[in-house]
């Protein structure tokens, strides 16, 4: 019967308020990243770890209201602050891998703004999961833009967790 495989590459670009150093912090500081990546308030967080450095990792495990467990396991391959982040990650549902991806995030300054280019090269077992991921990633970047707009006037120290 064979294995069902859906390869896809998608690119999402966003203009973000503030300079690349500001946007980079919302990718690299755990508490700041969760401000825009915590998108399912009804999901129970079981595990949440982030070691943002080359050869570091990130791990999120959630339990959905129906009891299904979802996890994201990432490995940071390259970090060139504040311009580029390269990482690989896999998503699992109830222990079964549903996707594996290589991601490049580029942050290029343009005056008081940042052009973010997100490129994901992925393999999915089901094309529907790829459609959901691509759409959900775009929605997440809208949340990132909103958070950055709300914090662009605040001094950097006020954004750090206490």
């Amino acid at each position: 019967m064979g294995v069902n495989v859906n390869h896809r590459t998608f690119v999402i670009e966003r203009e973000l308020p503030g300079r690349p150093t500001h946007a980079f912090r919302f990718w690299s500081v755990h508490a700041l990243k969760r401000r825009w990546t915590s998108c399912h308030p009804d999901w129970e967080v079981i595990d949440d770890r982030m070691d943002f450095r080359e050869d570091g990792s990130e791990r999120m495990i959630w339990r959905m209201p129906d009891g299904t467990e979802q996890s994201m396991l990432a490995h940071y391959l390259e970090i060139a602050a504040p311009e580029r982040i390269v990482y690989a990650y896999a998503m699992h549902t109830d222990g079964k891998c549903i996707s594996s991806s290589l991601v490049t995030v580029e942050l290029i300054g343009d005056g008081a703004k940042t052009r973010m280019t997100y490129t994901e090269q992925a393999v999915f077992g089901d094309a529907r999961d790829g459609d959901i991921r691509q759409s959900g990633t775009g929605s997440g970047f809208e949340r990132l833009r909103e958070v950055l707009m709300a914090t662009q006037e605040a001094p950097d120290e006020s954004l750090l967790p206490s």
Side-chain angles (χ1 to χ4, degrees):
M1 179 163 20
V3 175
N4 186 22
V5 176
N6 174 257
H7 292 275
R8 71 172 66 191
T9 297
F10 58 93
V11 177
I12 300 173
E13 294 184 331
R14 290 290 187 272
E15 184 176 272
L16 303 174
R19 301 188 188 284
T21 52
H22 184 59
F24 185 84
R25 293 178 65 244
F26 281 81
W27 281 91
S28 62
V29 176
H30 189 194
L32 297 180
K33 187 172 185 185
R34 291 301 172 252
R35 283 182 160 182
W36 64 276
T37 60
S38 296
C39 56
H40 300 285
D42 58 335
W43 292 14
E44 174 190 358
V45 176
I46 297 170
D47 195 3
D48 182 2
R49 303 179 211 175
M50 184 172 165
D51 178 16
F52 187 81
R53 61 181 174 83
E54 285 189 11
D55 206 29
S57 62
E58 185 172 355
R59 175 184 173 103
M60 286 286 302
I61 302 174
W62 307 266
R63 183 172 294 115
M64 298 179 198
D66 69 1
T68 302
E69 283 194 11
Q70 185 81 27
S71 66
M72 184 282 302
L73 309 170
H75 184 82
Y76 293 103
L77 303 170
E78 179 186 349
I79 298 172
E83 295 99 15
R84 185 176 54 256
I85 304 165
V86 180
Y87 63 97
Y89 78 103
M91 296 290 295
H92 295 81
T93 299
D94 283 336
K96 179 183 175 203
C97 187
I98 61 168
S99 69
S100 298
S101 300
L102 176 66
V103 171
T104 302
V105 179
E106 298 170 275
L107 302 167
I108 306 300
D110 182 15
K113 297 178 182 174
T114 297
R115 167 61 71 190
M116 181 184 77
T117 303
Y118 174 95
T119 305
E120 182 164 346
Q121 300 167 316
V123 60
F124 297 91
D126 185 327
R128 292 173 296 187
D129 289 330
D131 296 339
I132 292 167
R133 173 79 49 74
Q134 188 168 346
S135 172
T137 301
S139 297
F141 294 148
E142 288 306 310
R143 285 190 305 278
L144 173 60
R145 185 180 4 218
E146 290 169 12
V147 169
L148 288 171
M149 285 175 27
T151 59
Q152 68 179 346
E153 299 302 321
D156 288 349
E157 293 77 24
S158 70
L159 301 175
L160 293 173
S162 50

